Amino acid sequence: KAGVTQTPRYLIKTRGQQVTLSCSPISGHRSVSWYQQTPGQGLQFLFEYFSETQRNKGNFPGRFSGRQFSNSRSEMNVSTLELGDSALYLCASSLGQIDSEQFFGPGTRLTVL
Amino acid sequence: QKEVEQNSGPLSVPEGAIASLNCTYSDRGSQSFFWYRQYSGKSPELIMFIYSNGDKEDGRFTAQLNKASQYVSLLIRDSQPSDSATYLCAGRYGKLTFGTGTRLTIIP
Protein backbone atom coordinates (compact mmCIF):
# COMPACT_ATOMS: atom_id res chain seq x y z
CA LYS A 1 0.00 0.00 0.00
CA ALA A 2 1.43 3.37 -0.96
CA GLY A 3 2.21 5.77 1.86
CA VAL A 4 1.31 9.40 2.32
CA THR A 5 2.68 11.61 -0.42
CA GLN A 6 3.35 15.31 -0.27
CA THR A 7 4.21 17.76 -3.02
CA PRO A 8 6.35 19.64 -3.52
CA ARG A 9 9.14 18.33 -1.32
CA TYR A 10 11.05 21.60 -1.29
CA LEU A 11 9.91 25.14 -1.85
CA ILE A 12 11.60 28.53 -1.71
CA LYS A 13 9.43 31.64 -1.55
CA THR A 14 9.88 35.29 -0.65
CA ARG A 15 8.08 37.28 2.01
CA GLY A 16 4.59 38.33 1.03
CA GLN A 17 4.03 35.52 -1.43
CA GLN A 18 1.55 32.71 -0.91
CA VAL A 19 2.08 28.98 -1.15
CA THR A 20 -0.08 25.87 -1.59
CA LEU A 21 1.05 22.46 -0.37
CA SER A 22 -0.58 19.20 -1.33
CA CYS A 23 -1.07 15.92 0.51
CA SER A 24 -2.40 12.60 -0.75
CA PRO A 25 -3.35 10.23 2.10
CA ILE A 26 -3.00 6.48 2.25
CA SER A 27 -5.72 4.80 0.22
CA GLY A 28 -8.82 4.33 2.36
CA HIS A 29 -7.83 6.99 4.90
CA ARG A 30 -10.38 9.73 5.32
CA SER A 31 -8.62 12.03 7.74
CA VAL A 32 -5.71 14.34 7.00
CA SER A 33 -3.89 16.42 9.60
CA TRP A 34 -1.30 19.11 8.99
CA TYR A 35 1.61 20.03 11.25
CA GLN A 36 4.37 22.60 11.25
CA GLN A 37 7.74 21.53 12.60
CA THR A 38 10.49 23.95 13.52
CA PRO A 39 13.60 23.44 15.67
CA GLY A 40 12.35 25.90 18.26
CA GLN A 41 8.67 24.98 18.54
CA GLY A 42 8.67 21.30 17.73
CA LEU A 43 5.66 19.72 16.06
CA GLN A 44 2.70 22.09 16.08
CA PHE A 45 -0.79 21.08 14.99
CA LEU A 46 -2.35 23.20 12.25
CA PHE A 47 -5.65 21.53 11.40
CA GLU A 48 -7.38 18.24 10.73
CA TYR A 49 -9.86 17.40 8.01
CA PHE A 50 -12.24 14.49 7.92
CA SER A 51 -14.65 13.86 5.06
CA GLU A 52 -14.04 17.34 3.64
CA THR A 53 -14.83 19.07 6.96
CA GLN A 54 -12.38 20.72 9.30
CA ARG A 55 -12.60 18.74 12.52
CA ASN A 56 -9.94 20.43 14.62
CA LYS A 57 -7.88 23.58 14.36
CA GLY A 58 -4.66 24.66 16.05
CA ASN A 59 -3.56 28.09 17.18
CA PHE A 60 -2.28 29.53 13.94
CA PRO A 61 -3.26 32.84 12.30
CA GLY A 62 -5.86 32.98 9.57
CA ARG A 63 -3.10 33.15 6.95
CA PHE A 64 -2.97 29.38 7.30
CA SER A 65 -5.89 27.61 5.71
CA GLY A 66 -6.68 24.23 4.31
CA ARG A 67 -9.24 22.13 2.57
CA GLN A 68 -9.97 18.54 1.75
CA PHE A 69 -11.42 17.17 -1.44
CA SER A 70 -13.89 14.35 -1.95
CA ASN A 71 -11.06 11.92 -2.74
CA SER A 72 -9.52 12.79 0.70
CA ARG A 73 -6.59 14.64 -0.82
CA SER A 74 -5.85 17.82 1.07
CA GLU A 75 -4.19 21.14 0.44
CA MET A 76 -2.97 23.79 2.79
CA ASN A 77 -2.38 27.39 1.86
CA VAL A 78 -0.28 30.04 3.53
CA SER A 79 -0.82 33.58 2.40
CA THR A 80 1.39 36.62 2.93
CA LEU A 81 4.41 34.53 3.88
CA GLU A 82 6.64 35.65 6.73
CA LEU A 83 10.22 34.64 7.49
CA GLY A 84 8.95 32.72 10.52
CA ASP A 85 6.88 30.46 8.29
CA SER A 86 10.06 28.67 7.22
CA ALA A 87 9.54 25.14 8.46
CA LEU A 88 8.91 21.53 7.60
CA TYR A 89 5.21 21.06 6.89
CA LEU A 90 4.00 17.56 7.56
CA CYS A 91 0.79 15.90 6.63
CA ALA A 92 -0.48 12.78 8.35
CA SER A 93 -3.34 10.54 7.37
CA SER A 94 -5.51 8.17 9.37
CA LEU A 95 -8.66 6.13 8.97
CA GLY A 96 -10.51 8.84 10.85
CA GLN A 97 -11.71 7.23 14.06
CA ILE A 98 -10.81 9.32 17.06
CA ASP A 99 -8.02 6.97 18.22
CA SER A 100 -6.73 6.03 14.79
CA GLU A 101 -3.00 5.94 14.26
CA GLN A 102 -1.63 8.73 12.12
CA PHE A 103 0.97 8.08 9.44
CA PHE A 104 3.16 10.91 8.24
CA GLY A 105 4.23 11.88 4.77
CA PRO A 106 7.81 12.95 3.96
CA GLY A 107 7.01 16.63 4.44
CA THR A 108 7.47 19.80 2.45
CA ARG A 109 10.46 21.94 3.41
CA LEU A 110 9.43 25.59 2.98
CA THR A 111 12.05 28.31 3.05
CA VAL A 112 10.91 31.93 3.09
CA LEU A 113 13.53 34.50 2.08
CA GLN B 1 -3.91 23.67 28.01
CA LYS B 2 -3.52 19.98 27.42
CA GLU B 3 0.18 19.20 27.39
CA VAL B 4 2.49 16.33 26.80
CA GLU B 5 5.96 16.70 28.28
CA GLN B 6 9.17 14.89 27.60
CA ASN B 7 12.73 15.25 28.80
CA SER B 8 14.51 16.66 25.75
CA GLY B 9 17.70 14.79 26.60
CA PRO B 10 20.01 14.05 25.00
CA LEU B 11 19.94 10.54 26.36
CA SER B 12 22.98 8.35 25.71
CA VAL B 13 22.77 4.59 26.12
CA PRO B 14 25.42 1.92 25.40
CA GLU B 15 24.71 -0.52 22.62
CA GLY B 16 22.87 -3.57 23.88
CA ALA B 17 21.45 -1.82 26.94
CA ILE B 18 17.84 -0.82 27.63
CA ALA B 19 16.83 2.71 26.66
CA SER B 20 14.00 4.18 28.71
CA LEU B 21 12.04 7.16 27.39
CA ASN B 22 9.42 8.87 29.49
CA CYS B 23 6.50 11.17 28.87
CA THR B 24 3.96 12.80 31.21
CA TYR B 25 0.64 14.31 30.32
CA SER B 26 -1.44 16.91 32.04
CA ASP B 27 -5.00 15.90 31.27
CA ARG B 28 -6.67 12.62 32.12
CA GLY B 29 -9.00 13.12 29.17
CA SER B 30 -6.68 11.45 26.70
CA GLN B 31 -7.27 7.76 26.19
CA SER B 32 -4.64 6.97 23.61
CA PHE B 33 -0.92 7.57 23.29
CA PHE B 34 1.54 7.17 20.48
CA TRP B 35 5.30 6.91 20.16
CA TYR B 36 7.00 8.15 17.01
CA ARG B 37 10.63 7.91 15.97
CA GLN B 38 12.14 10.66 13.85
CA TYR B 39 15.53 10.44 12.22
CA SER B 40 17.30 13.68 11.42
CA GLY B 41 15.88 15.20 8.25
CA LYS B 42 13.06 12.66 8.04
CA SER B 43 9.40 12.63 9.02
CA PRO B 44 8.07 10.92 12.18
CA GLU B 45 7.49 7.19 11.95
CA LEU B 46 4.91 5.48 14.17
CA ILE B 47 6.47 2.87 16.46
CA MET B 48 3.85 2.02 19.06
CA PHE B 49 0.43 3.03 20.26
CA ILE B 50 -1.20 2.19 23.55
CA TYR B 51 -4.70 2.68 24.85
CA SER B 52 -4.92 0.54 27.98
CA ASN B 53 -3.14 0.64 31.29
CA GLY B 54 -0.17 -1.69 31.47
CA ASP B 55 2.43 -2.86 29.01
CA LYS B 56 2.33 -3.48 25.30
CA GLU B 57 5.21 -5.24 23.61
CA ASP B 58 6.27 -5.27 19.98
CA GLY B 59 9.63 -6.83 19.26
CA ARG B 60 12.33 -4.90 21.09
CA PHE B 61 9.88 -2.14 22.02
CA THR B 62 7.61 -2.00 25.06
CA ALA B 63 5.17 0.83 25.71
CA GLN B 64 3.88 1.35 29.22
CA LEU B 65 0.87 3.41 30.21
CA ASN B 66 -0.04 4.40 33.76
CA LYS B 67 -3.20 6.49 33.72
CA ALA B 68 -3.31 7.00 37.48
CA SER B 69 0.15 8.61 37.44
CA GLN B 70 -0.34 10.14 33.98
CA TYR B 71 2.80 8.86 32.39
CA VAL B 72 3.72 6.91 29.31
CA SER B 73 7.05 5.29 28.67
CA LEU B 74 8.87 3.50 25.90
CA LEU B 75 11.51 0.88 26.57
CA ILE B 76 13.90 -0.22 23.85
CA ARG B 77 15.70 -3.46 24.64
CA ASP B 78 19.02 -4.49 23.12
CA SER B 79 19.56 -0.95 21.83
CA GLN B 80 21.19 -0.67 18.43
CA PRO B 81 23.00 2.28 16.82
CA SER B 82 20.12 2.46 14.35
CA ASP B 83 17.83 3.36 17.26
CA SER B 84 19.61 6.72 17.54
CA ALA B 85 16.88 9.25 16.74
CA THR B 86 14.45 11.66 18.35
CA TYR B 87 11.47 9.97 19.97
CA LEU B 88 8.18 11.83 20.11
CA CYS B 89 5.36 11.04 22.50
CA ALA B 90 1.84 12.12 21.55
CA GLY B 91 -1.51 12.08 23.29
CA ARG B 92 -4.87 12.27 21.64
CA TYR B 93 -6.97 15.20 22.88
CA GLY B 94 -9.28 15.47 19.93
CA LYS B 95 -6.23 16.49 17.98
CA LEU B 96 -2.88 14.76 18.44
CA THR B 97 -0.67 16.73 20.86
CA PHE B 98 3.06 16.06 20.68
CA GLY B 99 5.79 16.43 23.24
CA THR B 100 9.00 18.17 22.22
CA GLY B 101 10.82 14.87 21.78
CA THR B 102 13.78 13.12 23.42
CA ARG B 103 17.00 12.79 21.49
CA LEU B 104 18.44 9.30 21.97
CA THR B 105 22.00 8.32 21.06
CA ILE B 106 23.14 4.69 21.19
CA ILE B 107 26.86 4.47 21.80
CA PRO B 108 28.60 1.53 20.06
Side-chain angles (χ1 to χ4, degrees):
Chain A
K1 199 181 243 189
V4 180
T5 59
Q6 291 186 247
T7 57
R9 293 291 311 278
Y10 302 91
L11 208 48
I12 299 175
K13 292 285 188 179
T14 56
R15 279 181 298 173
Q17 287 187 308
Q18 75 164 16
V19 66
T20 299
L21 311 182
S22 181
C23 172
S24 292
I26 293 170
S27 178
H29 284 194
R30 297 170 62 192
S31 171
V32 172
S33 297
W34 288 89
Y35 299 85
Q36 180 196 67
Q37 188 173 38
T38 58
Q41 297 296 318
L43 205 58
Q44 300 289 312
F45 172 78
L46 282 155
F47 26 67
E48 179 186 11
Y49 286 88
F50 176 74
S51 292
E52 301 179 66
T53 301
Q54 189 178 85
R55 186 159 68 175
N56 280 297
K57 188 178 188 304
N59 298 321
F60 278 81
R63 300 185 297 108
F64 292 81
S65 63
R67 59 179 177 169
Q68 186 179 34
F69 302 96
S70 58
N71 62 357
S72 294
R73 190 177 69 86
S74 178
E75 288 181 348
M76 69 162 280
N77 183 276
V78 188
S79 62
T80 319
L81 284 166
E82 301 177 359
L83 294 178
D85 296 333
S86 294
L88 179 66
Y89 289 88
L90 292 158
C91 140
S93 80
S94 73
L95 288 170
Q97 288 85 353
I98 199 67
D99 286 335
S100 298
E101 305 94 87
Q102 291 190 3
F103 299 91
F104 283 87
T108 294
R109 172 74 63 185
L110 172 65
T111 302
V112 182
L113 302 176
Chain B
Q1 179 83 8
K2 298 177 175 63
E3 291 184 348
V4 175
E5 295 190 4
Q6 297 180 253
N7 186 326
S8 61
L11 176 66
S12 295
V13 172
E15 184 175 356
I18 295 175
S20 177
L21 303 157
N22 300 305
C23 170
T24 59
Y25 58 96
S26 62
D27 193 302
R28 294 178 185 273
S30 181
Q31 298 297 313
S32 54
F33 296 89
F34 305 83
W35 282 99
Y36 287 83
R37 175 177 64 197
Q38 187 172 23
Y39 293 113
S40 181
K42 301 293 186 182
S43 62
E45 172 193 9
L46 181 65
I47 301 175
M48 298 276 294
F49 57 90
I50 186 165
Y51 305 138
S52 305
N53 262 334
D55 295 0
K56 179 182 179 183
E57 189 174 315
D58 184 0
R60 295 187 297 112
F61 298 95
T62 299
Q64 300 174 318
L65 174 59
N66 184 321
K67 293 188 178 182
S69 301
Q70 295 179 234
Y71 80 79
V72 189
S73 62
L74 180 70
L75 301 178
I76 307 174
R77 290 182 300 281
D78 187 24
S79 296
Q80 302 297 310
S82 59
D83 295 326
S84 296
T86 296
Y87 289 80
L88 298 161
C89 169
R92 188 72 163 170
Y93 297 100
K95 62 185 184 183
L96 203 56
T97 300
F98 283 84
T100 53
T102 299
R103 191 165 195 165
L104 173 67
T105 300
I106 305 302
I107 304 168

